[in-house]
Amino acid sequence: MQNKTKAKIAGTLAALTAFGTTTPALANDEINLDSYIEQDMVSVEEVLHFLYEKQMNSIIPVVEELNNFYTYIDNKDIIKSAYPRTYQNLDLDLGYIQRSYGSTYYDYVPNDGDYLNGIIKNNHFLLSLKITLDGSGREPTYGVIPDTNTEQGFRMRNSEDIELMSTYNDILNRANLVSENLLKVVNNYDSVSEDDLLMALKDIYESQKDYLNEIMPKLAYFYEQVDTENIIKNGFSNAYQAFLTPRDDSAIYNTTDIINSYLSVIIRNNEIINNLLISEDAGYGVIIDDAAEYGIRQKTDKDKELIENYKKLVGNYYSNPTLDYSVINLLNQSAKNIQNKTLH
């Protein structure tokens, strides 16, 4: 990394940080990640650009959904009144320029051209929108909610409050909060400490694991109870094979090479999550059908409805914990640099 670029990133962090069907084998002590990851020169700028683009493409629709939440769902102003700062913070200026490349993809550029600054600003924005659902007693629904209409200024939460807060949090959780530990590695990928790299890898792994643990039971129900004619299962076989891919994470806990074990599991999970996604052209085109004369046919209204239901379950590329290979390559190179230092 050029010293000028590294110094700029370090300065910004110091000033602003306040807070397919085939998958690679699971890691073991002899795993060779070079056989899977393409060895290009690491580009910090490319990594930061990817992280910012993915984050912005998740934040913009979430802000729109939260505004709709306040208008149409929180129509008694329960959440709006109880947590006024979260409502007011929706209007915060994130400072970006939006450029369109068709109807479904947008490119975002920070006003100052500083992607790292933009990522950290976005993180602060998302944290400012959080409200808590957890109670403080034995019952998970226990707790209070601010209410200026009561004498004490608060009251016990009821089922309506809890449902509204859950809906709000479900929307907000679709936005991509970038790991601060990952940003530290990006800043120092060529001289990162083993502990810092391990913390970043744990953040990535936990995010992937939480996502997969949440959606896999839902997909099981979808394939068994909704896609009863195997339209999605056969029409998008890569997605179905990704659903079937075994996930044994025991290597993380039974190895002397913890960093490469994390990398291997992260790569496997990344492949699964990417392959769970299906085509965005849900309203057009054809679908694979072995029973059809040419193996494909025009999509029907039923196909389109099933596709939309499936996509609601898995989310989209921007809200899912996916990484592109600029990030994976940087993580891999960081691990190699640590290994080389240990050998010498």
Side-chain angles (χ1 to χ4, degrees), residues 83 86 125-132 168-169 172-173 177:
Y83 305 98
T86 62
F125 169 67
L126 293 176
L127 290 172
S128 77
L129 299 181
K130 283 189 173 291
I131 59 176
T132 179
Y168 178 95
N169 286 332
L172 182 60
N173 288 340
L177 187 69

Side-chain angles (χ1 to χ4, degrees), residues 28-94:
N28 55 47
D29 288 343
E30 287 80 38
I31 190 163
N32 180 11
L33 291 174
D34 290 343
S35 64
Y36 182 70
I37 301 177
E38 186 177 346
Q39 295 300 303
D40 294 326
M41 183 177 293
V42 171
S43 170
V44 172
E45 289 79 6
E46 184 179 352
V47 171
L48 290 173
H49 182 232
F50 162 76
L51 293 173
Y52 181 78
E53 289 298 324
K54 191 169 189 290
Q55 188 177 53
M56 286 300 298
N57 273 284
S58 71
I59 287 175
I60 300 304
V62 161
V63 169
E64 182 178 350
E65 283 194 65
L66 288 178
N67 277 312
N68 287 335
F69 167 86
Y70 282 119
T71 302
Y72 301 109
I73 301 175
D74 185 33
N75 46 34
K76 298 179 184 176
D77 292 345
I78 293 173
I79 304 300
K80 186 187 295 184
S81 299
Y83 305 98
R85 286 189 180 181
T86 62
Y87 175 66
Q88 294 161 5
N89 285 342
L90 276 178
D91 291 330
L92 288 178
D93 182 9
L94 296 178

Side-chain angles (χ1 to χ4, degrees), residues 3 117 141 184 219 332:
N3 290 336
N117 188 350
T141 58
K184 288 181 182 178
L219 286 176
N332 184 50

Side-chain angles (χ1 to χ4, degrees), residues 86-333:
T86 62
Y87 175 66
Q88 294 161 5
N89 285 342
L90 276 178
D91 291 330
L92 288 178
D93 182 9
L94 296 178
Y96 63 88
I97 301 168
Q98 183 187 67
R99 299 184 300 202
S100 175
Y101 294 90
S103 59
T104 60
Y105 176 75
Y106 295 96
D107 183 46
Y108 295 90
V109 181
N111 286 340
D112 59 4
D114 189 333
Y115 286 106
L116 179 66
N117 188 350
I119 292 168
I120 296 174
K121 184 183 292 185
N122 289 343
N123 276 355
H124 290 173
F125 169 67
L126 293 176
L127 290 172
S128 77
L129 299 181
K130 283 189 173 291
I131 59 176
T132 179
L133 181 59
D134 295 334
S136 55
R138 292 183 179 180
E139 297 296 327
T141 58
Y142 182 90
V144 297
I145 187 170
D147 187 343
T148 56
N149 294 320
T150 62
E151 184 177 353
Q152 295 85 4
F154 62 87
R155 58 173 172 76
M156 296 299 296
R157 291 177 190 156
N158 58 39
S159 59
E160 183 179 16
D161 304 328
I162 294 166
E163 184 177 354
L164 284 169
M165 294 172 76
S166 294
T167 301
Y168 178 95
N169 286 332
D170 286 344
I171 296 170
L172 182 60
N173 288 340
R174 295 173 202 155
N176 183 8
L177 187 69
V178 179
S179 162
E180 181 183 348
N181 289 316
L182 175 57
L183 292 179
K184 288 181 182 178
V185 174
V186 175
N187 176 42
N188 296 294
Y189 87 91
D190 52 354
S191 59
V192 68
S193 71
E194 184 172 353
D195 287 343
D196 283 347
L197 178 57
L198 191 56
M199 289 297 292
L201 293 174
K202 285 181 177 179
D203 283 352
I204 294 167
Y205 167 72
E206 289 297 329
S207 178
Q208 291 177 332
K209 184 182 72 172
D210 289 347
Y211 167 79
L212 289 169
N213 286 346
E214 178 184 353
I215 70 160
M216 285 306 187
K218 296 177 182 178
L219 286 176
Y221 179 86
F222 174 85
Y223 282 121
E224 293 170 6
Q225 304 296 327
V226 181
D227 186 32
T228 53
E229 297 178 18
N230 297 332
I231 291 172
I232 303 300
K233 186 184 294 185
N234 295 331
F236 301 94
S237 58
N238 280 1
Y240 183 61
Q241 290 303 315
F243 164 73
L244 295 177
T245 302
R247 291 191 295 127
D248 180 4
D249 296 352
S250 60
I252 292 176
Y253 310 102
N254 300 291
T255 182
T256 57
D257 190 359
I258 186 69
I259 285 179
N260 279 331
S261 293
Y262 265 114
L263 275 169
S264 182
V265 173
I266 285 169
I267 290 169
R268 180 208 65 196
N269 287 347
N270 206 56
E271 288 293 297
I272 292 174
I273 296 168
N274 273 321
N275 286 334
L276 287 175
L277 299 172
I278 63 176
S279 174
E280 291 294 323
D281 67 338
Y284 306 94
V286 296
I287 190 170
I288 296 172
D289 185 346
D290 292 338
E293 183 176 0
Y294 298 103
I296 58 173
R297 59 173 173 74
Q298 289 289 321
K299 288 177 183 171
T300 66
D301 289 340
K302 182 176 182 179
D303 300 331
K304 296 171 188 177
E305 182 179 357
L306 282 170
I307 290 171
E308 288 303 311
N309 288 338
Y310 178 92
K311 286 166 61 179
K312 287 177 183 177
L313 291 180
V314 300
N316 60 49
Y317 173 79
Y318 301 112
S319 63
N320 292 347
T322 51
L323 302 172
D324 82 346
Y325 285 95
S326 69
V327 182
I328 290 178
N329 190 46
L330 182 143
L331 294 170
N332 184 50
Q333 291 301 318

Side-chain angles (χ1 to χ4, degrees), residues 336-344:
K336 285 181 157 226
N337 292 334
I338 290 171
Q339 185 177 28
N340 289 336
K341 283 192 295 184
T342 303
L343 292 174
H344 293 89

